[in-house]
Amino acid sequence: MPFFTPGDDPGPSFTELLRRVGLAPPVPTLSPGERIEIAHGTTVVAIRYADGVVMAGDRRATAGNFISHRAIEKVFPADRHSGVAIAGAAGPAMEMVKLFQLQLEHYEKVEGTALSLEGKANTLAQMVRSNLPAAMQGLGVVPLFAGYDTHRRAGRLFEYDLTGGRYEETRFAASGSGSLHASTVIKLGYREGMDRGGAVDLAITALFEAADEDSATGGPDLVRGIYPVIATITSSGFERLADDEVAERFQDLVATLTEREATAPRLPETTTEGGGER
Amino acid sequence: MTMPFYVAPEQVMKDRADYARKGIARGRSLAAVLYDQGILICAENPSSTLRKISEIYDRIAFAGVGKYNEFDQLRIAGIRAADLKGYAYSREDVDARSLANQYAQILGQIFTHEMKPMEVEILVAEVGAEPGGDQLFHILYDGTVMDEENVTVLGGEAEAIAARLQETWRAGLPLDEAVRVTVQALAGPERSIGPSELEAAVLSRTNGRRAFRRIDDEELSGYLGEQASPS
């Protein structure tokens, strides 16, 4: 059982405790410029709405041209009132999420109260920053953090960059290779004070369009029944949507798009020179 | 040359035990009982911020009586040990028995080797997946571990309170009744204790991963009804 002298005490920090007892995860060391091919997670989005925040992530992990995993999860509860979504190198990202979850819970237990949402966002920034040496070798992790701020009584969301830069967004945020397409969709469809249904549908549309344009982002897998992970964070906490609901909303979207496609103008049929009917 | 006084080891141990017991007896007592959904821990504690009962891990709670700063150190060490073990291995591998043994080692070591023993008595409780799996480990200032069944009481007046509690407790009590019998046992026949002087928490099987939940004053007064309000 770890005991520390007062000057040496790690306080409520779990990562600091790991360092003191020598369990801190090692930073990978490659020679400069060397890269390793590992699984990467792709598109995650977060949207603010009337009651809080919606977070969503596709399920594909890729290693170069390979789809290395079809059902990876990128959206996780960080604690009761916040969630974290990850894009980037899957291994380090998942380790970061695990450590982040442990850190928040450890703090809460030691101190007897939970960190403020601001405090949680800063903790994650420090973790991203401490991953910088690994990020320089291609093992970057770029999370989104969102939560319900119980002091302000509102949903808030944060984006990060590789250096641990922390940027609060007022409407939506996206990260990963498909984020450009996803955020354009959200930007166009966003309305102030949207309800839950509107925000979830917008997130689903954004992921669908990102998957349509970005090969590293996975669309809904109807054959295997794998749908994006979508969660809401409100005053009643982090809540992952049931697959049934997500599937239903996806089917509605697909039906609408199919209908639109059916009436879309067709390219004129081309006939090959000299290739007439015989 | 001055000769050091010879003090018999029996006397040293006895003095230390008396010292620790006296320190513990100065504070209020604490009781833990099994109820139908898990374990109820209830303490007499006028402070609403300096807590005697707290969460250690998913299904494990800690409670202490005696000197606050001493059992709080033990509490934090327990959280650290549990979180480190869960991180290094798996959440399932963290259990109350192992924590209780570690606490016993520390308390035993301090009792025999340090000038001053810790003036604390602690409880490590774990709620099982099934009613039969609930565990209560009661650890004394000298490192003695007791694996208790159904009911345990910590603190200066432990014996009297335990005797009262053994009479009124029965298996499968719902939470409200468990609170009533526990508070009545803590108070004794001559007094009544109000919600604001109590601290209570449960480890409940129905709470999901983190079984620990505090019971606030409002909920407590609901359970205690009129018996609680001093008339």
Side-chain angles (χ1 to χ4, degrees), chain A:
Chain A
M1 197 170 274
F3 275 92
F4 301 90
T5 53
D8 200 39
D9 197 286
S13 166
F14 185 67
T15 42
E16 193 52 44
L17 174 65
L18 284 180
R19 258 192 289 280
R20 297 285 156 92
V21 299
L23 274 175
V27 176
T29 44
L30 298 177
S31 48
E34 194 181 344
R35 296 260 163 163
I36 43 176
E37 201 66 71
I38 44 118
H40 275 72
T42 43
T43 313
V44 290
V45 301
I47 306 171
R48 253 184 90 188
Y49 71 104
D51 308 327
V53 185
V54 167
M55 296 189 103
D58 73 308
R59 305 291 290 272
R60 181 173 288 180
T62 51
N65 290 334
F66 279 103
I67 295 174
S68 55
H69 209 291
R70 295 174 190 280
I72 194 177
E73 301 207 357
K74 305 173 191 175
V75 178
F76 305 89
D79 67 353
R80 189 170 143 67
H81 280 115
S82 67
V84 58
I86 46 157
M94 283 176 178
E95 180 67 16
M96 191 181 292
V97 168
K98 183 181 165 194
L99 261 178
F100 184 51
Q101 290 168 329
L102 286 172
Q103 167 68 71
L104 300 188
E105 193 179 313
H106 187 76
Y107 181 98
E108 187 187 324
K109 289 190 290 192
V110 171
E111 292 287 303
T113 55
L115 265 170
S116 65
L117 196 72
E118 194 85 20
K120 292 174 201 169
N122 288 337
T123 303
L124 186 57
Q126 275 172 27
M127 289 184 165
V128 177
R129 191 171 303 126
S130 65
N131 188 55
L132 188 60
M136 302 295 276
Q137 297 172 350
L139 301 173
V141 180
V142 201
L144 293 180
F145 176 67
Y148 185 81
D149 191 326
T150 45
H151 296 290
R152 295 195 193 178
R153 297 181 187 283
R156 294 173 71 186
L157 46 90
F158 301 87
E159 272 184 325
Y160 296 85
D161 66 21
L162 281 177
T163 63
R166 191 206 89 166
Y167 313 96
E168 180 163 9
E169 297 289 341
T170 51
R171 298 189 292 165
F172 63 88
S175 180
S177 64
S179 62
L180 198 62
H181 303 288
S183 54
T184 306
V185 172
I186 301 172
K187 194 197 262 174
L188 293 174
Y190 189 86
R191 303 285 175 270
E192 210 57 55
M194 294 169 92
D195 65 1
R196 176 182 177 278
V200 170
D201 280 337
L202 187 55
I204 283 175
T205 315
L207 286 181
F208 186 92
E209 297 296 348
D212 207 27
E213 299 296 331
D214 170 36
S215 63
T217 304
D221 190 337
L222 301 169
V223 176
R224 300 178 185 84
I226 302 167
Y227 295 95
V229 176
I230 299 181
T232 57
I233 307 161
T234 60
S235 57
S236 50
F238 182 100
E239 202 178 325
R240 184 173 162 173
L241 269 65
D243 271 353
D244 291 350
E245 187 188 344
V246 182
E248 206 172 295
R249 287 178 185 274
F250 250 113
Q251 271 145 22
D252 290 349
L253 173 70
V254 170
T256 315
L257 293 176
T258 313
E259 205 174 300
R260 197 163 72 197
E261 209 58 36
T263 58
R266 302 269 151 196
L267 289 174
E269 299 219 5
T270 49
T271 46
T272 324
E273 274 311 303
E277 278 171 286
R278 281 176 201 171

Side-chain angles (χ1 to χ4, degrees), chain B residues 129-155:
Chain B
E130 302 295 325
D134 300 340
Q135 295 170 21
L136 298 170
F137 294 100
H138 180 168
I139 305 149
L140 300 185
Y141 53 84
D142 62 353
T144 308
V145 194
M146 292 172 286
D147 177 8
E148 308 266 25
E149 275 181 21
N150 307 329
V151 162
T152 186
V153 183
L154 286 70

Side-chain angles (χ1 to χ4, degrees), chain B residues 211-229:
Chain B
F212 186 84
R213 178 175 72 87
R214 287 189 188 282
I215 301 178
D216 61 20
D217 286 359
E218 199 181 323
E219 191 182 346
L220 262 183
S221 8
Y223 294 146
L224 292 172
E226 298 197 337
Q227 290 144 313
S229 52

Side-chain angles (χ1 to χ4, degrees), chain B residues 34-38 128-135 205:
Chain B
L34 306 193
Y35 72 104
D36 61 352
Q37 300 292 348
E130 302 295 325
D134 300 340
Q135 295 170 21
R205 265 182 283 281

